[in-house]
Amino acid sequence: MAWDIVVAADIATFALPEPKVGVAALAGGLHRLPRQIGLKQAMGLILTGRKVSSMEGARLGFVNEVTSGADLMLTARRWAEDMKTCSPMSIRASKEAVLKGLAEPSIQAAIEAQLTYPAVRDLFRSEDFREGPRAFAERRAPMWKNV
């Protein structure tokens, strides 16, 4: 649940089984899962320790893609290749804005606060911020400098 993107084999299962052995998922699972799939769905998993398949994980929203075990690395690499075409600075700014924005009381507050985030400010001052639109206008692939 701490990963940004989850690619799972069709035979994979997921659980927070800690209650079955008398402990709790206090390393973050109890806080991440409700934020990812909603309170009722999360409580159903947390309070029972129930295992879910990768297909159910996708339906619940914490698995991005399910593939065969044989194609797992190929699929994960495809996701990585897609991300590599993006500006690293834009990815950092986007991730920071999403995660910090979740703590804001409203969407409007999140929109206003994101301009104060370090990675967002760095993006606005970067060469990549100018390179992306320029490359788009020139119909070519951008050359990210990450500065």
Side-chain angles (χ1 to χ4, degrees):
M1 286 176 287
W3 301 306
D4 294 326
I5 295 173
V6 175
V7 177
D10 51 8
I11 60 168
T13 59
F14 299 86
L16 289 174
E18 287 84 352
K20 291 186 178 280
V21 295
V23 296
L26 300 174
L30 297 178
H31 304 287
R32 287 185 184 100
L33 191 60
R35 286 171 169 82
Q36 292 178 9
I37 68 172
L39 181 61
K40 293 294 183 192
Q41 293 294 334
M43 292 301 271
L45 298 178
I46 291 166
L47 299 180
T48 64
R50 181 173 72 86
K51 288 183 182 178
V52 297
S53 68
S54 55
M55 290 301 288
E56 186 173 358
R59 184 182 61 74
L60 289 169
F62 67 84
V63 171
N64 294 87
E65 186 172 346
V66 177
T67 188
S68 70
D71 290 335
L72 186 61
M73 288 308 296
L74 180 68
T75 304
R77 284 189 179 105
R78 179 176 41 78
W79 278 86
E81 289 299 321
D82 286 348
M83 286 185 284
K84 282 174 46 178
T85 66
C86 299
S87 159
M89 296 193 79
S90 178
I91 289 192
R92 274 192 299 279
S94 297
K95 183 175 176 176
E96 182 180 50
V98 167
L99 296 178
K100 287 185 175 182
L102 288 172
E104 296 294 337
S106 68
I107 292 174
Q108 186 59 40
I111 290 169
E112 292 168 10
Q114 69 190 359
L115 298 176
T116 68
Y117 302 155
V120 173
R121 287 194 322 260
D122 291 346
L123 172 64
F124 286 155
R125 291 190 299 253
S126 73
E127 290 182 38
D128 286 359
F129 190 71
R130 291 179 295 283
E131 168 62 10
R134 185 172 38 241
F136 179 80
E138 295 171 1
R139 297 178 187 219
R140 62 173 174 79
M143 294 178 289
W144 306 123
K145 298 196 177 15
N146 201 23
V147 293

